[in-house]
Amino acid sequence: MRDIDSQVLATIVETASDHFFIVDGDGRVLDVSPGAAAVYGMSREALCRSTVQALEAKGILKPSVSLEVMRTGEPAQLMQQTATGRRVIAQAHPVYIAGKLKRVVSRSMDLTDLQLLQDEYALLQQRFSDHLKRSSGGSIGDDLELDSLEVRSGVMREIAVLLKRVAPTDATVLLLGESGVGKTAFARQLHRWSRRGDGPFIDVNCASIPESLFESEMFGYQPGAFSGATRHGRAGLLEQADGGTLFLDEIGELPLAMQTKLLKVIQDGSLTRLGDTRPRRVDFRLVVATNQDLARRVEEGGFRLDLYYRVNVIPVTLPPLRERREDIPVLAELQLARLNQRYGGNKLLHAGLWSQLMARGWPGNVRELENTLERAWLSSPGDLIEPEVGQQRFAAGQEPGILVSDRSSAAPTLGNTLLPEGQTLKQAMAAMERDILASLCREHPSTYAMARRLGISQPSVVRKLSKHGLTIHNER
Ligand SMILES: Nc1ncnc2c1ncn2[C@@H]1O[C@H](COP(=O)(O)OP(=O)(O)OP(=O)(O)O)[C@@H](O)[C@H]1O
Ligand SMILES: [Mg+2]
């Protein structure tokens, strides 16, 4: 190798924040970067006198990623445990000359601190949830100050309380959940709750930017960086998020090359526009969302393990609407109020439609509920959204086999409305009981008041509420 090239290589090994190991085809260590000593608990000189076989046998590092490459002849990536008790991601690549394995170059990144943070967070989350269950008696999160979001179910209230707790920190939040459950809505709320709330909220849908434009969109460019670049250059989305929140929606769709570049920005806190040489500092809070199984994407090689660890700091799963039906009435009321405001009117939903709303599967979650109500609102002529209109409209957006309540094409009769096709009497009675209780929960200050109104005992009220997963918000 020419002198200059070996100097360049030495500079990379000396200065990189990751730890490099360079070994020959037999596993003899030729060089390591200075920082490796602290991670592996051995001096650089001692490491350089050793072999990866010996290091693995002594438990200095386990397993050795270089040995894995020597065994398979392919690049490898794995998690290592070191003798100093640290957890490390190691990646290694083979170097062949004339078909013979001559070198293995591996690089490792210490994740211990990140891992500790995650473990601590999981523990806190558990304690916090236990504490809420013990102390709240059903009034979790009364002081949430949610803007334009409704959470009534216990699970959503707990999630909202947690998000509010972590909002002031700069920790990365990963929002998981099916389409339409509210990932984007809660990312915005998190931003408003954070100390960056007055700064920008930059919402980037990773699935909608063509791969060829990704780099210029994300990093921006200098004048003349490429043909078609504007005369003044442009700040990219990462730079626009400075001082605020960067929300990367559908992060599972981020191309691999961009994942590498994004990781570097997260690590360095700076970026360089296309066609520029000067790095610029950027300071944003990262929030990401996906409805993919990211761990699976890592296994399939579509998502970088190190980026996965960076974004999976605080994972929060928003459950589908069908698993938190207590939220349906408040969400429906919120949407009705919005529609009345948007289109000018004062329409109400016919009582017979509520049980249908409660019974549907809602595969499209809150978004589907909103769209369904909008269609029903627009097609009902009077002030009351009637079952006939509602049924047709509700049915129009239905996916086959998911709707349990209104598959009937027969003319609506009282019987059809109260006992939708496909439901047994018992199910319909339970749904009705639930609707009544849910509505009384909102209107009554205590289970005693509800007991008087219902003409049953207070313990019966408590039992029934618990059976339906309902609570009196703010019991006095
Ligand atoms: N708790 C809530 N209260 C009020 N509105 C909500 C709530 N959750 C979701 N919504 C509304 O439902 C719609 C869908 O939510 P959102 O766009 O946040 O879902 P998403 O999970 O980001 O979906 P996708 O995966 O398709 O991006 C939005 O109009 C949002 O405002
Ligand atoms: Mg979204």
Side-chain angles (χ1 to χ4, degrees):
M1 198 189 304
R2 283 179 321 181
D3 240 19
I4 177 87
D5 290 334
S6 46
Q7 273 193 43
V8 168
L9 183 63
T11 309
I12 294 172
V13 172
E14 293 286 331
T15 57
S17 58
D18 294 350
H19 314 298
F20 281 95
F21 262 69
I22 300 169
V23 309
D24 70 12
D26 300 320
R28 272 188 294 271
V29 182
L30 302 177
D31 200 3
V32 304
S33 44
V39 175
Y40 294 102
M42 255 175 103
S43 73
R44 189 177 187 185
E45 294 69 34
L47 284 168
C48 289
R49 280 195 303 272
S50 193
T51 63
V52 283
Q53 291 87 339
L55 292 174
E56 189 183 72
K58 285 189 219 153
I60 303 291
L61 46 85
K62 216 170 200 169
S64 158
V65 71
S66 305
L67 272 182
E68 181 67 17
V69 171
M70 287 160 62
R71 262 194 296 273
T72 63
E74 302 273 333
Q77 167 168 280
L78 47 79
M79 289 295 296
Q80 258 174 13
Q81 188 79 40
T82 74
T84 52
R86 305 192 75 82
R87 281 172 66 77
V88 168
I89 291 187
Q91 294 168 324
H93 291 265
V95 178
Y96 292 101
I97 293 180
K100 285 198 100 168
L101 179 67
K102 288 289 184 189
R103 298 282 184 271
V104 179
V105 180
S106 73
R107 90 175 232 272
S108 58
M109 198 166 81
D110 188 354
L111 285 175
T112 314
D113 296 339
L114 215 58
Q115 187 76 41
L116 285 176
L117 204 67
Q118 261 177 29
D119 293 350
E120 196 179 336
Y121 170 74
L123 196 71
L124 275 176
Q125 195 176 16
Q126 184 57 48
R127 276 206 212 132
F128 181 51
S129 162
D130 293 348
H131 170 74
L132 284 178
K133 280 187 191 123
R134 262 184 276 115
S135 65
S136 67
S139 55
I140 300 169
D142 281 339
D143 54 348
L144 279 170
E145 293 166 37
L146 286 155
D147 311 293
S148 71
L149 289 182
E150 287 286 357
V151 290
R152 171 164 281 276
S153 58
V155 51
M156 286 306 290
R157 297 188 78 78
E158 273 192 31
I159 286 172
V161 170
L162 248 164
L163 287 176
K164 192 169 184 188
R165 275 280 169 100
V166 299
T169 73
D170 264 346
T172 299
V173 173
L174 166 63
L175 293 162
L176 299 161
E178 292 179 7
S179 183
V181 285
K183 297 184 294 296
T184 302
F186 278 92
R188 281 187 188 279
Q189 181 64 61
L190 185 77
H191 170 69
R192 283 191 292 260
W193 274 330
S194 79
R195 61 190 168 81
R196 299 166 175 272
D198 291 333
F201 177 85
I202 302 295
D203 181 353
V204 183
N205 188 321
C206 300
S208 67
I209 304 180
E211 192 159 348
S212 58
L213 294 182
F214 235 111
E215 192 161 6
S216 62
E217 286 288 315
M218 294 285 266
F219 286 79
Y221 49 84
Q222 284 300 84
F226 50 88
S227 65
T230 66
R231 207 150 46 85
H232 303 293
R234 205 162 79 98
L237 295 162
L238 296 172
E239 220 178 310
Q240 290 171 34
D242 190 38
T245 302
L246 176 70
F247 176 51
L248 295 181
D249 205 350
E250 304 205 37
I251 190 161
E253 298 295 326
L254 201 63
L256 274 168
M258 283 311 301
Q259 293 177 24
T260 309
K261 292 192 166 131
L262 173 67
L263 188 68
K264 192 158 162 20
V265 177
I266 299 172
Q267 282 167 345
D268 298 351
S270 66
L271 59 81
T272 309
R273 289 185 183 182
L274 280 182
D276 200 358
T277 49
R278 182 167 58 99
R280 298 162 193 255
R281 294 216 65 77
V282 278
D283 167 37
F284 53 77
R285 196 256 187 89
L286 187 63
V287 178
V288 306
T290 181
N291 52 19
Q292 297 188 10
D293 181 349
L294 273 192
R296 195 69 179 274
R297 297 270 297 138
V298 171
E299 271 166 29
E300 293 163 357
F303 203 81
R304 288 184 63 125
L305 182 63
D306 38 15
L307 183 60
Y308 173 72
Y309 272 94
R310 287 278 167 184
V311 300
N312 193 29
V313 181
I314 301 186
V316 175
T317 303
L318 304 181
L321 194 54
R322 63 185 169 278
E323 288 175 17
R324 48 178 170 108
R325 293 185 187 273
E326 308 92 289
D327 287 332
I328 295 174
V330 281
L331 288 170
E333 274 167 14
L334 177 70
Q335 174 66 345
L336 270 184
R338 282 200 189 129
L339 293 168
N340 283 332
Q341 167 119 45
R342 187 181 313 155
Y343 296 118
N346 206 4
K347 296 191 187 184
L348 292 171
L349 211 56
H350 187 283
L353 285 177
W354 283 102
S355 61
Q356 294 183 20
L357 287 184
M358 295 302 289
R360 273 186 76 154
W362 300 115
N365 295 295
V366 187
R367 183 177 298 114
E368 187 188 2
L369 175 68
E370 288 183 343
N371 293 343
T372 301
L373 286 170
E374 183 162 2
R375 275 196 303 271
W377 199 104
L378 290 171
S379 25
S380 71
D383 260 0
L384 197 61
I385 303 176
E386 303 271 3
E388 301 91 281
V389 174
Q391 269 187 348
Q392 280 168 19
R393 291 305 126 199
F394 289 8
Q398 156 201 357
E399 290 195 13
I402 298 202
L403 189 66
V404 281
S405 59
D406 55 13
R407 220 169 308 152
S408 158
S409 55
T413 62
L414 190 61
N416 271 341
T417 308
L418 292 177
L419 182 63
E421 173 105 352
Q423 258 194 13
T424 63
L425 179 61
K426 199 166 163 197
Q427 285 166 335
M429 299 288 276
M432 191 176 286
E433 180 178 271
R434 196 170 189 300
D435 283 359
I436 293 171
L437 291 171
S439 135
L440 290 186
C441 270
R442 262 167 280 152
E443 294 155 8
H444 290 73
S446 68
T447 43
Y448 290 95
M450 275 179 73
R452 280 194 294 280
R453 172 72 183 81
L454 288 165
I456 56 178
S457 72
Q458 188 262 351
S460 299
V461 173
V462 172
R463 216 168 25 248
K464 281 182 190 296
L465 291 185
S466 134
K467 178 174 116 194
H468 292 291
L470 295 168
T471 47
I472 293 195
H473 177 205
N474 206 7
E475 179 147 15
R476 299 185 281 270

